[in-house]
Amino acid sequence: MTIPPRSPRHLRLAAHAELISLIVMLANVFTIHLKPISSVMGPIHGCAYLFVVIATWRLKPAPAVNIAALVPGVGGLLALRLLDRGDAAVGQQT
């Protein structure tokens, strides 16, 4: 029995940062709507999203993982789930 490789730690951190920043931004918009929170969380969310997409792409997984990573907000967590399931072979050569 082989154990599938775990996804990289940096991808896990970025995926969680992406989701948490989206939750904070949406909570801010639907409650008090403070502009400083929006101006800080927007770039954090955008950077985390881009980091997830690029980090996933650099792993060279199956195409389904790359497509999952493109979903804003939860794409990083979806990609991590696919990677940890072992359905997507990390490090495939094209």
Side-chain angles (χ1 to χ4, degrees):
M1 180 169 111
T2 61
I3 299 173
R6 286 188 51 138
S7 53
R9 181 173 170 85
H10 63 278
L11 183 56
R12 286 188 178 282
L13 290 172
H16 285 93
E18 177 187 10
L19 179 62
I20 291 168
S21 63
L22 180 65
I23 290 170
V24 170
M25 283 193 318
L26 291 176
N28 181 46
V29 166
F30 292 118
T31 57
I32 54 179
H33 195 52
L34 293 174
K35 291 196 185 280
I37 293 176
S38 298
S39 66
V40 169
M41 295 312 289
I44 290 173
H45 175 70
C47 289
Y49 173 74
L50 288 175
F51 189 89
V52 164
V53 170
I54 292 169
T56 304
W57 176 72
R58 291 192 61 180
L59 290 174
K60 298 182 182 177
V65 179
N66 286 335
I67 292 170
L70 292 174
V71 178
V74 296
L77 295 177
L78 292 173
L80 285 171
R81 185 177 188 130
L82 289 172
L83 286 171
D84 286 344
R85 271 191 2 196
D87 291 348
V90 177
Q92 285 182 351
Q93 296 298 323
T94 55

